[in-house]
Amino acid sequence: MNDKLMEPQKATAQILKCADSICAKKVREMAVPFAVSDIMRETLSLFHEQMNELQKTMISGIQETLQRLAQVNLQFTHKYKKTFDRLLFFEIAKETGFPIYLECDTELQDMLVESYRANDNSCNINEMQQIIFEYYDEEYVNSVCRSFANSNIFNKERVGLLKQGIAVYQLHYFAAANSLFAAQMGGMIRDLYAGLSKTRKFTQSEKNKVRRAFKLGNCRDDSEKLMLAEVISEQEGGIMIWCHVARFFLKYIYSSGEGYMEEYPKRHMICHGIQTNYDTRKMSLKLILCIDILTELAFRVGKMKETAQQVIIVI
């Protein structure tokens, strides 16, 4: 166990030892050093016994109280560490440039946080990228493919195209895969929004609130960026995860201009033939992780549709 986690137990033991010593000393001080009658001696003996019992009761009470305090402290320490590790994981994701936010509280988080601490609380980017590549192995990528293929939100023809993208990725034809992924990502977002619209329609006032919240300025109502922001705004739980997801898509994947092209596959720049440095495994994996995120959102939108249908049936 961590030394800091042991501090409450050590403190408890020291306090109990001190309490026992003080109580015993006080009882000894009450011993009468001169001759007394048998009745008085019997009375004092009984009194000493009662004091010993009181001492034991006091120590037991102190011990129970301190143990509870120590447990509360341990629970607090554990929760604090868990929260801190999550925040650290989000920063590591930002430093490495991979949208790995869905892996919060997973083995990948543990490995990356361990790497960070083993490198004097700093990100060894090459080491961390290797950890990420090994984690998202062939089987994991195939599981992403199975997930979007099983979704009832995405257009079936689009699913077929995405499967081809995964197939050529596995053959290391990264440019071919990325061209396809970038072209279909906008369609995936539109599929998501169409699915959400069956149970949740945004008023113009609500759309404007989403624009302000996500800093989308004069973004058109039919913009894929606004559609994605609206879908994300409807998610319950994991607010930190979805905030980081929105930031990644809007700042990097869907941002205008040529900024960030060195490290990120930008949808518009790829589709318009401006970005040409995306023939790498790193660029491919970033797009596949984006597809994985959109697939998770599709699963959630599907659940929302099911819930709405159940409500209608009950009514």
Side-chain angles (χ1 to χ4, degrees), residues 18 20 46 66-68 110 115 117 142 145 180 199 209 239 247 301-302 305-306 310:
C18 181
D20 183 49
L46 179 61
L66 290 175
Q67 285 176 343
R68 288 180 179 176
D110 294 340
S115 170
R117 289 175 175 148
N142 286 337
C145 184
L180 197 154
T199 57
K209 286 181 181 179
I239 184 170
R247 175 183 174 276
V301 168
K305 287 174 62 178
E306 290 177 10
Q310 289 172 0

Side-chain angles (χ1 to χ4, degrees), residues 217-267:
N218 298 321
C219 212
R220 300 190 316 272
D221 285 358
D222 62 348
S223 163
E224 290 158 15
K225 290 193 286 187
L226 182 59
M227 289 179 182
L228 179 61
E230 288 179 35
V231 173
I232 289 176
S233 71
E234 287 296 292
Q235 302 312 305
E236 295 182 358
I239 184 170
M240 287 295 292
I241 292 174
W242 296 114
C243 282
H244 283 284
V245 164
R247 175 183 174 276
F248 188 88
F249 272 87
L250 300 178
K251 183 174 181 177
Y252 302 123
I253 303 302
Y254 262 87
S255 64
S256 58
E258 299 183 15
Y260 307 112
M261 283 200 307
E262 184 177 344
E263 288 294 324
Y264 298 95
K266 302 186 66 174
R267 180 187 178 279

Side-chain angles (χ1 to χ4, degrees), residues 47-112:
F47 179 72
H48 286 170
E49 289 178 6
Q50 291 175 340
M51 285 298 295
N52 283 329
E53 289 299 318
L54 177 61
Q55 173 187 343
K56 292 177 183 178
T57 302
M58 288 173 60
I59 291 175
S60 177
I62 292 171
Q63 184 176 22
E64 183 179 352
T65 300
L66 290 175
Q67 285 176 343
R68 288 180 179 176
L69 288 172
Q71 185 62 34
V72 169
N73 187 63
L74 282 171
Q75 291 172 355
F76 174 78
T77 302
H78 175 71
K79 289 180 179 179
Y80 173 80
K81 181 180 181 302
K82 189 174 181 180
T83 300
F84 180 79
D85 283 354
R86 286 175 179 171
L87 295 175
L88 178 57
F89 174 67
F90 291 138
E91 286 303 308
I92 290 172
K94 182 179 177 182
E95 286 292 317
T96 59
F98 286 90
I100 53 178
Y101 309 112
L102 297 184
E103 297 298 330
C104 184
D105 292 335
T106 67
E107 181 185 1
L108 179 60
Q109 173 181 303
D110 294 340
M111 290 190 293
L112 291 173

Side-chain angles (χ1 to χ4, degrees), residues 27-38:
V27 170
R28 288 196 299 272
E29 287 175 352
M30 296 178 67
V32 181
F34 48 83
V36 295
S37 66
D38 291 341

Side-chain angles (χ1 to χ4, degrees), residues 285-299:
L285 185 54
K286 290 178 181 182
L287 285 172
I288 289 172
L289 292 175
C290 287
I291 289 171
D292 193 27
I293 289 170
L294 295 177
T295 302
E296 172 63 22
L297 287 170
F299 172 78

